[in-house]
Amino acid sequence: MDYPNDQAPGAPVRSGIPEHGRVPKYYAVKARIDRLVGELGEGGPLPTERDLSERYEVARETVRQAIRELVLEGKLRRQGRGTVVAGPKLEQPLSLASYTEGVRRQGRTPGRNLVTLDRFPCPDALAAETGLRRGEPVWHLERVLLADDERVGLESTYVAVARVPRLDSDFDPDSSFYAWIKSQDIRFGDADERIETVLATPREALLIGTPPALPMLLIHRVSRDTEGQPLERVRTLYRGDRFSFTTRLHG
């Protein structure tokens, strides 16, 4: 296969153009708008659909489809009645580190808005997954994740009341749960983690402030302490247009 000299590692091979050379019209327009996005820079306003359709001599619906895909990919974002160039995606490490640490490493300010903090008897499914006892009291902590005041995710944490009995009075919901846990002389040992793509429910989309059709990255995590005892069960939704995940593999 003949690769262009400027083929970037990780970019679609031959820019995603099939070997037979027949490219959907919207995709050709998308590629041209993508180049324009690079020229405009973060926060730059995109020309209107009418202007772009005249510039590229295509129907407005073709332009609309191209823009829609670039929004879903996180390269553009809606702002008021217009569209602007989005900033780079946040990179979150796949490790036993907090959301706070990952966001701060990229020069952004992390934050959280409390949705709910309540307690209830541990149900069968949660007990089976974590090793907690059925019926024992558990906390449920739900928070909207922020980066520079932008809503970027939704996190639900389940932890036994016996492990942190004063969670409702001693913990600041805007702070890092991991840092607070460590301050209670509890140490994380290991965890099982699973990632999948989903669409948010109507409630989740409303809390995060995104359209229901926006793909989300869903992370399930079950953590244990250094003694192998169950510690937490976390379900975190991240906006697919604002996040990517990184890890280092060893042979």
Side-chain angles (χ1 to χ4, degrees), residues 95-108:
S95 64
L96 273 172
S98 74
Y99 168 79
T100 299
E101 296 169 11
V103 173
R104 280 181 176 161
R105 273 200 296 267
Q106 295 167 83
R108 306 284 295 275

Side-chain angles (χ1 to χ4, degrees), residues 120-133:
F120 55 87
C122 182
D124 290 341
L126 183 61
E129 186 177 16
T130 61
L132 295 171
R133 298 190 313 277

